[in-house]
Amino acid sequence: TGLQQIDAEDLPDSLGQQAWQLAYRYASLPFDLQLLAQPIEPRITVHELVEYRITPNRLSADVTALLDIEQAGLYRLEFSLPPDFEIQNVAGVELPGAVAAQVDSFRLSEETPERLIVSLARKAIGRVGITFRLQRSISDPNLVTPTGAATNFSLRVPQFVNVFATRASGSLVITSDESLRLTPSPTGLRSIGLEDAFLDIHARSSSSSLSGQPKLAYQFSDSTAAIDLSVERRQPYVTTLQRLLVEVEDGVAKFEALFLSTIQYSGVEELRIDVPSEVSSKIRNVSSELRDRTISPPPEDIAPG
């Protein structure tokens, strides 16, 4: 009241040498000025790479988050998690153009058990990276042997949680053993190519020692992002190459048959070889690692002779 705001550059030379944030001119007394001081809140954008891996006995998720924190720093990071997972390997990670977050400790929230709280040893500001792994064991006969039945998994995407996060997005990649067939039903996800999933966060997660190849890739920008997976153990697929070597000597012909079988997706306990009945009594198995037996009674689909 009674003041007119002016640019700091218009101040007299005796005052212009200082970095004033506000400057006013008054023409008469009295005047009044009321100031409301508030802490500067952080402004955060987040991009995540979430890699779910499914094997017959384990389900794991590797989460890598790239945070761009402006205006004010953070001493604590929080992530919403899917239920029933064990937390492992929470650590800062260097990413292109970003430094590793200085992780001091981590715990699950007592009020919200599906909330991961990461305490930092130093204030995080600018571009910082953090990674962690979630894991749980699976004991399901449908995934160990090809029963023909599928097992369903509902997987929620782990996401950074903060009221000051103006934008949160990321990529979800599903990897599985070749022995498993996946049928997805995504929610809040947009299908993308596998090569596009790793564009923003170039480094693959540290779990590359786990088996399997990426099968599905999605992009998300919604807190409700999740995927339902129907997982079925695939039936075994066997291909065989055969070589027959005939060695003829005086009065004697020797036959050597070599079978090279490639077995995919699921294991088999035995392989069947049909042989001519006229020589069946003279055949000798020379593969010491494999036991042989005659199928009795003979299979119904065997050829005559």
Side-chain angles (χ1 to χ4, degrees):
T1 301
L3 295 170
Q4 179 184 3
Q5 186 170 2
I6 62 174
D7 195 290
E9 295 180 355
D10 297 333
L11 291 171
D13 293 340
S14 59
L15 299 175
Q17 304 302 318
Q18 302 184 47
W20 303 101
Q21 289 184 295
L22 299 170
Y24 298 87
R25 174 183 291 120
Y26 66 92
S28 63
L29 298 175
F31 64 82
D32 184 60
L33 177 64
Q34 296 184 6
L35 292 175
L36 176 63
Q38 294 177 305
I40 296 176
E41 306 290 4
R43 186 175 182 271
I44 309 167
T45 57
V46 185
H47 187 84
E48 295 182 11
L49 172 62
V50 180
E51 295 181 84
Y52 268 110
R53 281 178 168 81
I54 303 174
T55 67
N57 55 14
R58 182 169 54 188
L59 176 60
S60 63
D62 288 285
V63 182
T64 305
L66 173 62
L67 295 87
D68 193 352
I69 307 169
E70 300 177 325
Q71 301 183 165
L74 297 177
Y75 286 94
R76 189 170 84 166
L77 308 177
E78 298 187 20
F79 294 84
S80 65
L81 305 179
D84 304 324
F85 276 87
E86 176 187 355
I87 305 172
Q88 296 181 338
N89 302 341
V90 180
V93 60
E94 291 187 3
L95 297 171
V99 299
Q102 301 296 310
V103 175
D104 179 57
S105 62
F106 64 91
R107 60 182 174 85
L108 290 176
S109 169
E110 295 180 358
E111 297 80 11
T112 309
E114 296 172 7
R115 179 73 58 87
L116 171 64
I117 299 176
V118 182
S119 298
L120 303 179
R122 296 180 60 183
K123 178 174 66 175
I125 191 166
R127 290 168 62 88
V128 297
I130 188 170
T131 183
F132 59 88
R133 178 181 297 177
L134 306 175
Q135 185 171 292
R136 83 177 190 216
S137 298
I138 300 175
S139 179
D140 192 314
N142 293 332
L143 304 185
V144 178
T145 56
T147 61
T151 298
N152 296 317
F153 294 94
S154 294
L155 305 177
R156 195 168 71 238
V157 177
Q159 292 192 17
F160 178 77
V161 178
N162 193 293
V163 294
F164 304 113
T166 58
R167 184 169 61 88
S169 60
S171 300
L172 170 66
V173 179
I174 307 293
T175 296
S176 74
D177 280 3
E178 68 168 7
S179 62
L180 303 178
R181 178 183 289 110
L182 308 180
T183 304
S185 297
T187 300
L189 298 168
R190 182 174 65 87
S191 181
I192 59 175
L194 288 169
E195 65 280 0
D196 297 328
F198 303 98
L199 288 179
D200 294 297
I201 299 180
H202 301 278
R204 292 292 301 275
S205 62
S206 58
S207 59
S208 57
S209 60
L210 295 178
S211 61
Q213 293 294 324
K215 301 283 185 65
L216 304 168
Y218 300 91
Q219 192 175 64
F220 64 86
S221 58
D222 192 332
S223 60
T224 63
I227 188 168
D228 292 335
L229 284 177
S230 176
V231 184
E232 180 183 352
R233 181 73 181 230
R234 301 175 70 175
Q235 297 290 335
Y237 182 77
V238 183
T239 56
T240 301
L241 298 176
Q242 179 180 351
R243 184 190 71 186
L244 183 63
L245 177 64
V246 183
E247 184 180 350
V248 180
E249 300 177 356
D250 292 340
V252 178
K254 297 180 180 180
F255 295 81
E256 180 184 78
L258 174 67
F259 298 87
L260 177 61
S261 296
T262 301
I263 305 168
Q264 295 176 276
Y265 311 137
S266 298
V268 297
E269 295 184 354
E270 58 186 17
L271 297 170
R272 167 181 153 185
I273 300 175
D274 295 345
V275 300
S277 56
E278 59 193 51
V279 299
S280 60
S281 61
K282 301 177 182 179
I283 288 179
R284 184 165 56 92
N285 173 24
V286 296
S287 300
S288 58
E289 298 84 359
L290 302 177
R291 298 186 303 272
D292 64 283
R293 64 181 177 86
T294 301
I295 302 176
S296 181
E300 295 181 357
D301 61 345
I302 198 167

